[in-house]
Amino acid sequence: MTPAVEKAARRILLGIGELHGLHISVVTAANLASGLGTGLRCVVVEHGDLLAVAGLPFSRAVGRGGISSPMTLQLMESYFRNLSRAVERELIETCARLNIDWALARPSGQYVEELSAAAEGGDIIVVSRRDIAAVPGELLKTARRLLEKAAAIVVPAIKQDHGGAVLAFTTPENGRDAQALAVEI
């Protein structure tokens, strides 16, 4: 890693909002933490809006094959418990192999707000493409909000392969650090 990147990175903050892309996000965050010699903090956000809607008479969950069933509060709570367990298993396995200290938080609320609240100055935030772009047309607004605290945002590739483009979000103050990080990735 370049000295600028090592100096800027305080810790890696991994934001998880759904199961899709979990493995790649955890591996990316853990590899960054290992390479930078920092800790890893994971935030699994229980979407408050989904919990609020669950149980309303018109709420339905559509599964594989188009099978529909009532969306209950118990079903949503079970989904988020299972998500937390899956994240914890991935963190235990990946971080033990790389000898990385990690912590896990499980706030309930809006994804971007909870991730922003967990961020501290100098953090490198790792988020999946689906989580950061969950609200159509809000990608840049979300990135700006997170960069109020973070040094950089890393969006892992959809597939875990070597090479390819890296999307770097940065502010003018952190431009060189984010560019150096993108080159390292």
Side-chain angles (χ1 to χ4, degrees):
M1 292 282 154
T2 63
V5 175
E6 289 176 2
K7 181 181 167 202
R10 184 183 181 291
R11 68 177 178 175
I12 304 300
L13 178 63
L14 172 61
I16 302 287
E18 65 177 53
L19 197 54
H20 185 271
L22 172 66
H23 177 73
I24 292 171
S25 295
V26 170
V27 168
T28 300
N31 284 332
L32 281 170
S34 177
L36 293 170
T38 65
L40 172 62
R41 178 159 188 223
C42 182
V43 177
V44 178
V45 181
E46 293 182 358
H47 294 268
D49 52 350
L50 291 178
L51 292 170
V53 169
L56 294 175
F58 57 82
S59 298
R60 309 282 298 171
V62 180
R64 295 180 187 209
I67 298 172
S68 173
S69 62
M71 182 190 291
T72 65
L73 182 57
Q74 292 79 16
L75 179 68
M76 290 311 305
E77 288 172 342
S78 174
Y79 171 79
F80 286 117
R81 271 193 311 275
N82 291 337
L83 175 61
S84 290
R85 283 188 208 122
V87 169
E88 193 166 15
R89 280 191 304 270
E90 284 284 336
L91 286 169
I92 289 169
E93 180 181 317
T94 305
C95 293
R97 186 172 30 85
L98 295 171
N99 196 26
I100 298 169
D101 292 330
W102 61 275
L104 178 63
R106 298 177 182 109
S108 180
Q110 299 298 319
Y111 180 78
V112 175
E113 284 76 15
E114 295 301 328
L115 191 56
S116 180
E120 296 177 3
D123 284 355
I124 295 175
I125 299 177
V126 177
V127 292
S128 76
R129 192 171 297 207
R130 283 178 59 162
D131 282 338
I132 196 164
V135 180
E138 297 290 319
L139 178 62
L140 291 177
K141 184 179 175 183
T142 300
R144 279 190 196 107
R145 175 136 188 229
L146 294 174
L147 286 170
E148 288 173 1
K149 293 182 180 178
I153 299 170
V154 173
V155 181
I158 294 171
K159 293 181 181 177
Q160 193 175 11
D161 59 358
H162 301 289
V166 173
L167 182 59
F169 293 99
T170 187
T171 61
E173 308 84 57
N174 294 325
R176 288 188 182 175
D177 292 340
Q179 186 176 17
L181 176 65
V183 169
E184 291 291 335
I185 293 171

